[in-house]
Amino acid sequence: MYHRLVKVCIFADDFIISGVLKSVDPLPNLEYEIFTSEVVDFEVLRDFSIIILNTAFSSQMIRKIYDAKKSESIFVVCSNFQDFRVCSENYKYFDELWTGPLDAEKIAFLFGKIVSRIKKNEDSCLTEKYLDTLIDSLPDLIWFKDARGAHLRVNKSFCEAVGKTKADVQGRGHYYIWDIEPDEYAKGEYVCLESEEIVLREKKNCLFDEMVKIKDSMRKFKTYKSPLFDRNGDVLGTVGVARDVTDLQNLQIEMNILFESLPFGVIATDKDQHVTGGNQKSLALFSAQSKGLLGKKFDGLLKAFADDCSSEQRLIEDSRDGVFLLASERVFKIQQEKLLDVFSEFAGYIYLFLDVTKEYYQKHQLIFDANTDYLTKLNNRRKLHDFLRDTPCMSGTALLLADLDNFKQINDQYGHDEGDRILVAFAHILRDNFDPENIFRLGGDEFAVLFPGTRHAKEQMLETAHRCARVIISELEKLSIHQDLSVSIGIAVTSSDDEDFGSLFKKADIALYDSKCSGKNTCCLWCGGA
């Protein structure tokens, strides 16, 4: 990724070292430039990374080269036995001592060690650049500490938070950096130092909620702290990453205030429908299930609500209009809305419990009125039509059609009020003897009673329906409403699953006609094609 030009200056009386170095292949990311001179030029020394002295020298020359070169340049002195005293006296002023005799292999080996060290330094510098660039690009506070608590490295966000430079922070402890006295720390809700001790003791990653004072205001952080280990597995110190969640928590508080101010219940879940929060109005609905509400599956919560036998509350599901909750004589429609994150990705659900008590009962009253005969309160022809449309006609289904005899004459002679009284009285007879759900007033003085299919034999169902018809006739005679009032009944039963209600009605109607023709006040069974 990087390219480093290593400039080498050789002061020598020959070109032996220069020739060897030019033949050495450069290490990756390095390039070598070799310069050779017989005369030492102190003015150019600062341009070189490596300086090799292989000519007659003195203590004064060694020290002058030391003073003229860059501090990071590597100074090599080539010495024979006769130069030992001068080298011994000036060992502080050079970095490498190459002792003669020097052959090509030895020169290449010693030079290779130097450039390897330069490459390691370059790699280390690049790694530090990587680290600094990474931590400085993050908005979180990041720091490295030794085991004593001294800060070794921090990022820009950390410096901005404490109002100090990296140089100010380097090597300093907690109290100085955060401008807090030990007594103030002891009295406050601070846990920064204690959490460091926990990490050092437990030797594992830990998450803490920490309060920090920044510029005369308290801030709350979610802090991740991890131990740093050396090669032997011993703890060197810690690294910490702190995320300021003060604004997030303030937002959460504002959201809670908003939720609580809403006139309806609210429950929030994650994408898997686990409950993450809710307001008091929603918790009141689930009082029996509210303990440990967080984390529960929303569907499971509804099921537990519906299965709660100790409560009169119950759940109503309507596939057309949604899900309705009945609680404390109130009806709540559960409206589901999707939650999207900042990337418009699905993140969860919001469930709204909207009080629709008035609308719910008004709608059901309208439906009841539309399907109920106003006078007799029995199901009307429309309800029968809906029933026949939604219910399969099974084998063994019986239909009883009843028609009041001489009703028109009585109604004309005694008036409509008397006719209404007769119809209501007859409806009571039917309701007292049959399931109200299966009784219908078809209009005028004609009524129908359905016996849903039980797959019994046709003859058995005919006998059952015939017995019921005799009960109707008997009950009407007991009332003695009018001497001329009686009832004619026709009965038919389906013989297979292939038969439809239209065919069944025709059969029952024929049987009713036969009953009328037989002198009325009787019951006839449809037997054709049996």
Side-chain angles (χ1 to χ4, degrees), residues 215-426:
K215 300 175 183 178
D216 297 326
S217 65
M218 298 302 297
R219 308 292 293 180
K220 187 167 186 177
F221 288 86
K222 283 285 186 184
T223 306
Y224 300 83
K225 295 185 177 182
S226 303
L228 291 171
F229 299 98
D230 63 13
R231 292 182 178 180
N232 298 322
D234 297 324
V235 179
L236 292 171
T238 61
V239 56
V241 179
R243 176 161 296 178
D244 191 339
V245 296
T246 310
D247 294 337
L248 185 61
Q249 291 210 337
N250 289 339
L251 179 61
Q252 182 66 45
I253 293 172
E254 292 174 3
M255 286 297 296
N256 288 339
I257 294 173
L258 174 61
F259 273 22
E260 294 300 338
S261 67
L262 293 173
F264 45 79
V266 180
I267 284 182
T269 73
D270 60 17
K271 62 176 65 176
D272 297 319
Q273 289 193 316
H274 292 103
V275 176
T276 58
N279 62 0
Q280 290 300 317
K281 291 182 179 67
S282 65
L283 296 181
L285 295 175
F286 298 95
S287 56
Q289 295 81 24
S290 59
K291 185 177 181 182
L293 190 64
L294 295 181
K296 287 186 176 180
K297 290 276 286 185
F298 184 75
D299 289 345
L301 190 66
L302 294 184
K303 185 177 185 303
F305 179 90
D307 294 343
D308 184 6
C309 299
S310 64
S311 172
E312 295 181 355
Q313 303 166 334
R314 59 193 180 94
L315 188 69
I316 293 181
E317 287 197 36
D318 190 324
S319 60
R320 294 181 181 177
D321 300 324
V323 181
F324 293 87
L325 197 69
L326 266 67
S328 303
E329 300 181 353
R330 308 297 294 176
V331 180
F332 298 90
K333 182 177 182 181
I334 304 176
Q335 183 170 319
Q336 182 192 73
E337 301 289 345
K338 287 186 177 182
L339 283 176
L340 304 179
D341 60 19
V342 294
F343 302 105
S344 297
E345 295 292 331
F346 171 61
Y349 295 100
I350 283 283
Y351 293 93
L352 311 178
F353 295 82
L354 307 177
D355 190 337
V356 294
T357 307
K358 183 177 180 181
E359 297 87 340
Y360 180 85
Y361 285 116
Q362 282 181 342
K363 176 183 175 182
H364 281 262
Q365 186 61 47
L366 288 172
I367 294 174
F368 177 81
D369 292 343
N371 293 308
T372 305
D373 178 59
Y374 177 77
L375 177 63
T376 63
K377 306 305 179 187
L378 297 177
N379 297 320
N380 59 17
R381 182 182 289 271
R382 174 176 176 163
K383 181 64 180 290
L384 178 62
H385 175 76
D386 291 342
F387 177 86
L388 300 182
R389 181 192 61 202
D390 300 332
T391 307
C393 184
M394 296 173 56
S395 176
T397 298
L399 175 63
L400 182 154
L401 294 181
D403 188 276
L404 294 175
D405 300 326
N406 307 314
F407 176 78
K408 184 178 184 307
Q409 292 86 339
I410 295 172
N411 194 51
D412 291 342
Q413 182 178 353
Y414 296 98
H416 293 293
D417 289 344
E418 181 64 12
D420 289 348
R421 188 176 73 85
I422 293 172
L423 293 173
V424 170
F426 187 71

Side-chain angles (χ1 to χ4, degrees), residues 66 89 113 120 122 126 150 186 217 225 320 343 346 373 385 387 451 457 485 495 511 526 529:
Y66 174 81
E89 292 175 352
K113 290 179 63 177
K120 285 183 179 179
E122 290 291 334
L126 181 62
S217 65
K225 295 185 177 182
R320 294 181 181 177
F343 302 105
F346 171 61
D373 178 59
H385 175 76
F387 177 86
F451 300 86
L485 183 66
S495 57
W526 187 88

Side-chain angles (χ1 to χ4, degrees), residues 52-67:
I52 300 175
L53 180 62
N54 188 29
T55 186
F57 57 83
S58 62
S59 295
Q60 183 181 11
M61 179 182 291
I62 291 176
R63 295 181 183 184
K64 287 185 69 175
I65 293 176
Y66 174 81
D67 292 336

